[in-house]
Amino acid sequence: MHAPKKPGLLARLSPRRTTRILRRALATGAVVLAAASLQPLTAHAAPQPVVGGTRAAQGEFPFMVRLSMGCGGALYAKDIVLTAAHCVDGSGTDTSITATAGVVDLRSSSAIKVRSTKVLQAPGYDGKGRDWALIKLARPIDRPTLEIAATTAYNHGDFTIAGWGAAREGGGQQRYLLKATVPFVDDATCEDAYGDDLVPGEEICAGFVERGGVDTCQGDSGGPMFRKDDTGAYLQVGIVSWGEGCARAGYPGVYTEVSTFAADIARAASGL
């Protein structure tokens, strides 16, 4: 089924929207790479990577953020997290979200935890397209931020995906941050899979269409899809949004195309 990646969204959507958004935001509150086998949060053993996924090294992606509602995100600014619209409940004052940063192990005593103060959901968001949101934090997190793409120049090639979500379709939240690489999928191929559920120009697809096996999954909603720019710096090109199951052949992951909304995101951030 088409699924977003955050709990609680389904009840607020029409049947058609519900069908398309059942994946990156997990019904139990989690999302990571379906292609890699991580131990659950209660386990103490080290995760055993499978095809396409490995555990990220401490400090490898210092901009990564885990959100307490069961989504991911990235530091857009030191006091602002960029995530998915379907991860939040509208806009306004909100002190209910805790952002965890600075670690790959969610149990680490070094984890930085900061509460939210405000949320801004993409104006006009209705469950299809425009899947971005900003979360204002109570204080800055002293970690590097992730620049977002302002043009489509980097909407090609291979991308990195990372998160603490489910390691398999229907699985639960993971303790360790996992990473994998997925290739760009053109709009025509993605439309073959999803028809008019896809919003070309607002969404970008990535994954191994023919064989599947590597993907984001429930609980990874809102996390970044990124690559290196010409200077070797990481640049965010997508936001984990939705898809058909997790890592299924024939169905690539669908991500918010960040460059489409870069100016809107910048304006919104300046007003938080």
Side-chain angles (χ1 to χ4, degrees), residues 147 154 227-235:
E147 184 178 352
Y154 295 100
R227 54 161 290 175
K228 289 186 176 180
D229 64 16
D230 292 339
T231 71
Y234 282 124
L235 184 73

Side-chain angles (χ1 to χ4, degrees), residues 98-124:
T98 299
T100 300
V103 294
V104 296
D105 178 358
L106 294 179
R107 285 185 169 185
S108 172
S109 59
S110 300
I112 301 168
K113 296 181 181 290
V114 181
R115 301 286 283 189
S116 61
T117 59
K118 297 179 182 177
V119 170
L120 191 149
Q121 189 180 61

Side-chain angles (χ1 to χ4, degrees), residues 133-152:
L134 297 173
I135 297 173
K136 178 78 169 180
L137 302 178
R139 61 179 175 84
I141 292 176
D142 188 19
R143 290 294 183 272
T145 58
L146 179 59
E147 184 178 352
I148 66 172
T151 73
T152 60

